[in-house]
Amino acid sequence: MKEDIIFKSEDFIFSYRVSGILIYDNKILLQKPIDDDGYAFIGGHVEAMETTEETLIREFKEEMQADIITEKLMAVGEVFFPWGERPCHQISLYYKIRLNDFHSIPLDGRFRAYDESGNERMDLDFCWMPMDKLKDIKLYPKELLPYILNEKNETIHFISKEI
């Protein structure tokens, strides 16, 4: 079994993560834990000796049996946020992706799946959010939102500090 690139000490957590930006019919696919009101981009932690594109393909298959293709790297984020009682320093890559099989997941509304990390299972809602509603929801990291709404043909870098 491969190991996620995540380091936890008594004082902080470091995480290396990748997410996919999937837009279809002017809606974006987001995830949120069942017991939370905040949305996030779908993805997961990179495993040792795995490319970020391999991670995205694996995560979408594991979490919702979706077959995706990565199109381009959209953003690199340095994200700082509380992870339980400790601060987390996360390096995140965000790719624009598309579905390879449009019959693999529902293309509208909500559907449920789960993610497993270590011995923890997290039930998730996956939801297609209209692009014009993105400014009205709690979305993490919020600093990425302007780049998604005004997509340019360049890779951007951003910093998000919740702590």
Side-chain angles (χ1 to χ4, degrees):
M1 182 170 136
K2 293 185 178 181
E3 276 192 67
D4 288 347
I5 301 176
I6 182 169
F7 303 99
K8 297 179 179 181
S9 75
E10 288 182 25
D11 298 323
F12 74 97
I13 297 170
F14 173 81
S15 164
Y16 181 32
R17 190 172 191 279
V18 62
S19 295
I21 309 298
L22 178 56
I23 298 171
Y24 176 78
D25 195 24
N26 208 32
K27 294 177 288 237
I28 186 167
L29 188 60
L30 300 172
Q31 72 180 26
K32 74 178 207 58
I34 302 294
D35 58 353
D36 196 341
D37 63 346
Y39 293 85
F41 301 100
I42 301 164
H45 289 103
V46 179
E47 291 181 348
M49 307 311 295
E50 182 179 54
T51 69
T52 52
E53 290 186 30
E54 290 168 339
T55 300
L56 263 185
I57 291 167
R58 175 181 54 78
E59 288 287 341
F60 272 76
K61 279 188 198 261
E62 285 177 0
E63 292 179 10
M64 66 183 92
Q65 292 73 50
D67 186 16
I68 62 154
I69 296 170
T70 57
E71 291 188 342
K72 70 172 189 160
L73 179 63
M74 289 181 67
V76 177
E78 296 179 65
V79 184
F80 301 86
F81 63 96
W83 184 320
E85 299 295 316
R86 294 178 275 184
C88 181
H89 178 169
Q90 185 175 82
I91 303 299
S92 287
L93 303 182
Y94 299 85
Y95 283 90
K96 181 176 184 179
I97 63 171
R98 65 181 165 88
L99 288 170
N100 192 35
D101 177 4
F102 285 89
H103 301 290
S104 60
I105 61 172
L107 297 175
D108 198 13
R110 293 178 181 267
F111 56 99
R112 188 152 291 169
Y114 68 91
D115 187 20
E116 291 181 317
S117 179
N119 293 329
E120 295 180 38
R121 176 184 161 135
M122 180 184 300
D123 290 318
L124 298 168
D125 268 340
F126 291 94
C127 19
W128 287 100
M129 184 68 61
M131 296 292 282
D132 62 355
K133 301 285 185 203
L134 288 177
K135 291 182 180 179
D136 301 331
I137 64 170
K138 193 185 300 184
L139 180 63
Y140 303 106
K142 64 182 184 263
E143 291 80 3
L144 187 54
L145 183 56
Y147 301 106
I148 291 172
L149 294 174
N150 304 310
E151 184 184 343
K152 296 183 179 164
N153 201 15
E154 62 187 47
T155 303
I156 59 100
H157 167 260
F158 70 93
I159 296 171
S160 175
K161 283 195 171 190
E162 291 182 38
I163 54 174

